[in-house]
Amino acid sequence: MKYSLVIVSFAFTSMLFAQENITGHIVDETNTAVIGASIYWKNTSTGVTSDMSGKFSIPFQPNSTLTISYVGYQTQFFDFSDKSQNIHIKLEPDTKLEEVVINTKQRNTSRSMSGTTNGFVMNSGELLKAACCNISEAFETNASIDVNYTDAITGTKQIKMLGLTSPYILIAEENIPSVRGASQTYGLSYTPGTWVESIQVTKGAGTVVNGYESISGQINTELIKPATDKPLFINLYASTDERYEANIHLNKKLSDKWSTSLFLHGNTRQGKHDQNNDGFQDMPTGNQVNIMNRWQYNNLEKGWVSFISWRYMKDDKSNGQIGFDKNRDQGTTNLWGSQVDTEKLDLSAKTGYVFPDMPFQSIGLQLSYNYHKQNSFFGLNKYDISQNSIYSNLIFNSIINNTLNKFSTGISFTLDKYREDVFATTIDNNFDRIDNSIGGFFEYTYDNTENFSLIAGLRGDYHNRMGFFVTPRLHVKYNPWENSVLRASIGRGKRLANIFAENQIYFATNRNFILNNTTEGLYGLKPEIAWNYGLSFSQSFYVLGRKADVTLDYYKTDFTNQIVVDVDQSSHAIEFYNLNGQSYANSFQLELNYNLARNLNLRSAYKFYDIQTDQKTGKYEKAFQPKHRFFANIEYETEVTEAGGNWRFDFTYNWLGKQRIPTTSDNDIHNQMTAYSNPYSLMNFQITKVFSKKFEIYVGGENIGNYKQDRVILGNDNPFGKDFDTTMVYAPVFGQMYYAGLRFKLD
């Protein structure tokens, strides 16, 4: 898919010079220049890529066919009799049938029919379709990733892919792993949606280039590039739950080579709401300040592209009983309260070089440093963690004989230094540690440009606490007939679980923490290891002259070892131990997309999950995971006026089946819950009025059906008693929420 972008979009341009060249200009269906399209002579090693203006120049090759390809678009072929020509090429989305001409807007979420991996791309238009304050809320209009409620205190939303939570997903920012370790619970809320250019999602085993930790999939966020950003962008947002947000982007092109962008973000919520009258806030109050500065250097004539970025973020969240005062009540049993204060500093530098005489060959270096500090308390429980991380990845891309055979190879190094202090029920210890690993990888890609391709990757790593291990992964794609694609994948993932950082919602309970130490080392628990197998089939077709496509996915994840987080032995305890038996996650998805009318698109999906884990007292179905889910999204746009204005309408519907609730049998009768929740539906909408290319306003609503869980906090009448638990949440805590905002930009 777009994993060639892992070298920081190094192949932006070609530098081949000859007296007899074929030159051209490549645009997409909106007449926007296409950057980084592959242009090469079929079955040869001669190839280039389009530059920042979509232009290219390639030496003429007699008796050969010029091939032009770009992810998400149809591959085009040209034969030339003249040696010097200039051509204009307009790419067409690869889901389009050549014999049928339609006139409709390209979808904001596109699935490639030509990519080897099973993935899709969400562009910035998709992120604007909802109240997308941050990345954790960016997937609510997406069929493949589930957004779940976690608890009644932190206010965070958790994403799942293939039924597995975010720790099993490799989440990267511009192909540098970002949400991991200490940031696992809240990390997705630290990237504002307006900063994002696109999000690339890959199901199942991903590339070995980015590491060994991915098990259920990979999510890569591409940020807005300084070279293409607007000089000024302003986004203001306000909602009925008293959340207020401002985003300001400032961009300056300093020269033909240097560009810089400054991103400013701030949000606040000060109002305390208690709609269910349980004495606790329905959502946390707090503030966030987020600043990022990016620099981009383009010296396309000499083949260099570089990015330098720094970011500082401070986020404070408070929750608890109405009337709780941190200065007065912290550490006492007067009133129950919690606070999570986080500070982050990120530095990164990425440099890529395309060899002038070999445009198919490039080398790139990624470097990053991250500092994350969280100080928090939940009632009488205290949890502090800090993490200093260094990441580096050196990647070399080239071909074997011709452009049909490509490879990536390199070495990577990761260092994580943790200070972790846990002061909770039955736990009073620090878990300071240093993790470091060094590894090498090789990934081979074959593509016959017609109907078959594969990506085979292998990496070997040495970790100071896991020793040496190998990570194999394989993706295969075959087009059995026109406008269809069959994909298969298999891969292995391995990771060290940060059990407290990943499960800190349980600090907001009075459960006893129990560690079943079976091995030496951190927590006394083994690394998690899993194999992921996937099969996918997609078919594009036309119904009544309208474009449609259907996709069937089946994925199976088998754990060789997993850290079992057991809350079913007792409603007053949480126990961590190594898997003894089976743990698997089966995921089936049927997705249908259909162009109902001009500029009116429907996306729908049915998902079935079978997730089971052997625990000490038997095999258990995954808690808070509906077996059946249904998703539908309808989007409509009116025609654009001469001034650039129009209307946009978006409606999303989610139906969630019943969910298993962990045991509450040890609680007093009035603090017990049923074994399963009731099914429920959620509906969101947004309307955007675009006045011109510079200005637009939007209004929307979430949970407009006003569905709320009846009781979200057990033991709320005695928060320091044995039954207190804020994690038994399967549905919205807050009811209807409406919002409005505006966007202003200068070209």
Side-chain angles (χ1 to χ4, degrees), residues 175-189:
N175 290 295
I176 295 178
S178 57
V179 180
R180 53 188 299 274
S183 64
Q184 194 62 253
T185 297
Y186 306 104
L188 284 172
S189 66

Side-chain angles (χ1 to χ4, degrees), residues 566-740:
D566 191 343
V567 292
D568 285 291
Q569 288 196 70
S570 169
S571 50
H572 297 152
I574 175 172
E575 189 167 354
F576 301 91
Y577 51 85
N578 293 313
L579 176 68
N580 182 16
Q582 289 186 322
S583 180
Y584 59 84
N586 297 324
S587 168
F588 171 80
Q589 177 172 317
L590 171 63
E591 182 176 350
L592 173 65
N593 301 319
Y594 182 47
N595 175 227
L596 296 168
R598 179 176 170 82
N599 296 335
L600 177 63
N601 290 318
L602 167 69
R603 284 186 291 146
S604 61
Y606 164 75
K607 289 178 283 189
F608 171 78
Y609 296 108
D610 177 23
I611 305 173
Q612 308 266 351
T613 300
D614 284 331
Q615 299 180 185
K616 284 188 175 181
T617 53
K619 187 182 292 291
Y620 283 82
E621 177 185 329
K622 180 71 174 178
F624 302 120
Q625 174 64 60
K627 276 193 171 185
H628 305 276
R629 294 186 71 136
F630 177 76
F631 163 89
N633 175 264
I634 296 178
E635 59 177 3
Y636 175 70
E637 284 195 22
T638 62
E639 295 297 330
V640 179
T641 65
E642 292 184 4
N646 71 337
W647 288 87
R648 299 172 187 162
F649 302 88
D650 192 87
F651 177 81
T652 302
Y653 174 82
N654 277 285
W655 178 86
L656 292 81
K658 66 178 185 179
Q659 303 173 49
R660 188 182 74 84
I661 298 174
T663 181
T664 55
S665 58
D666 295 335
N667 292 349
D668 295 338
I669 294 295
H670 69 281
N671 286 325
Q672 293 183 8
M673 299 178 68
T674 59
Y676 284 87
S677 69
N678 293 321
Y680 66 92
S681 299
L682 293 175
M683 294 175 287
N684 303 335
F685 79 92
Q686 181 173 284
I687 301 173
T688 303
K689 170 56 179 174
V690 181
F691 293 93
S692 68
K693 294 181 180 180
K694 295 181 179 180
F695 181 69
E696 61 188 59
I697 61 173
Y698 57 92
V699 296
E702 292 190 344
N703 190 17
I704 60 176
N706 202 35
Y707 185 87
K708 294 178 290 185
Q709 184 173 329
D710 291 335
R711 191 176 186 191
V712 295
I713 299 179
L714 302 183
N716 63 291
D717 55 342
N718 183 17
F720 298 97
K722 60 182 178 62
D723 291 351
F724 182 71
D725 195 333
T726 69
T727 64
M728 297 295 179
V729 176
Y730 58 84
V733 176
F734 197 80
Q736 296 173 335
M737 187 276 286
Y738 296 94
Y739 61 88

Side-chain angles (χ1 to χ4, degrees), residues 501-512:
E502 296 166 12
N503 296 280
Q504 57 186 281
I505 62 171
Y506 291 103
F507 290 123
T509 70
N510 286 334
R511 291 177 180 267
N512 293 319

Side-chain angles (χ1 to χ4, degrees), residues 69 107 148 197 225 399 472 518 560 579 591 650 657 667 726:
S69 65
R107 294 174 181 144
N148 295 77
E197 182 179 77
K225 308 297 185 290
I399 64 172
T518 58
T560 304
L579 176 68
E591 182 176 350
D650 192 87
N667 292 349
T726 69

Side-chain angles (χ1 to χ4, degrees), residues 328-433:
R328 181 192 64 204
D329 301 320
Q330 182 182 357
T332 74
T333 57
N334 298 333
L335 291 172
W336 194 98
S338 75
Q339 182 147 342
V340 179
D341 297 339
T342 306
E343 193 171 18
K344 276 180 62 67
L345 175 66
D346 301 322
L347 306 172
S348 67
K350 303 183 291 183
T351 299
Y353 176 70
V354 180
F355 292 83
D357 55 342
M358 292 179 289
F360 47 78
Q361 187 166 285
S362 59
I363 188 168
L365 176 64
Q366 301 171 317
L367 299 170
S368 73
Y369 166 76
N370 307 102
Y371 170 74
H372 181 110
K373 181 181 180 181
Q374 175 186 322
N375 293 326
S376 55
F377 66 87
F378 305 84
L380 299 179
N381 294 332
K382 185 178 179 182
Y383 178 66
D384 296 339
I385 184 171
S386 66
Q387 177 182 356
N388 286 271
S389 296
I390 296 174
Y391 173 84
S392 63
N393 202 16
L394 179 67
I395 309 160
F396 176 74
N397 279 8
S398 190
I399 64 172
I400 303 173
N401 294 327
N402 55 55
T403 53
L404 302 182
N405 300 273
K406 303 174 184 178
F407 71 90
S408 298
T409 188
I411 56 175
S412 57
F413 172 77
T414 303
L415 171 67
D416 297 304
K417 183 179 180 180
Y418 293 94
R419 293 185 61 87
E420 188 175 35
D421 296 316
V422 182
F423 303 97
T425 310
T426 69
I427 297 287
D428 185 354
N429 208 341
N430 70 73
F431 296 89
D432 298 350
R433 61 199 183 272

Side-chain angles (χ1 to χ4, degrees), residues 129-243:
K129 289 168 56 176
C132 183
C133 299
N134 54 62
I135 297 302
S136 69
E137 299 163 323
F139 302 101
E140 294 184 346
T141 60
N142 181 271
S144 296
I145 296 179
D146 301 325
V147 181
N148 295 77
Y149 300 89
T150 60
D151 64 293
I153 293 296
T154 64
T156 59
K157 293 182 180 180
Q158 183 184 68
I159 66 168
K160 294 182 180 180
M161 185 186 296
L162 309 183
L164 298 176
T165 55
S166 57
Y168 299 107
I169 308 169
L170 194 154
I171 302 175
E173 186 172 280
E174 300 202 323
N175 290 295
I176 295 178
S178 57
V179 180
R180 53 188 299 274
S183 64
Q184 194 62 253
T185 297
Y186 306 104
L188 284 172
S189 66
Y190 298 150
T191 301
T194 63
W195 294 8
V196 177
E197 182 179 77
S198 66
I199 299 177
Q200 299 132 25
V201 179
T202 302
K203 286 187 172 183
T207 175
V208 296
V209 175
N210 290 342
Y212 51 80
E213 293 182 328
S214 169
I215 291 177
S216 64
Q218 297 190 1
I219 297 175
N220 179 55
T221 301
E222 287 291 325
L223 302 181
I224 295 172
K225 308 297 185 290
T228 56
D229 197 8
K230 306 290 184 183
L232 174 65
F233 173 82
I234 298 175
N235 170 234
L236 302 177
Y237 169 95
S239 63
T240 55
D241 62 358
E242 296 188 67
R243 178 187 175 102

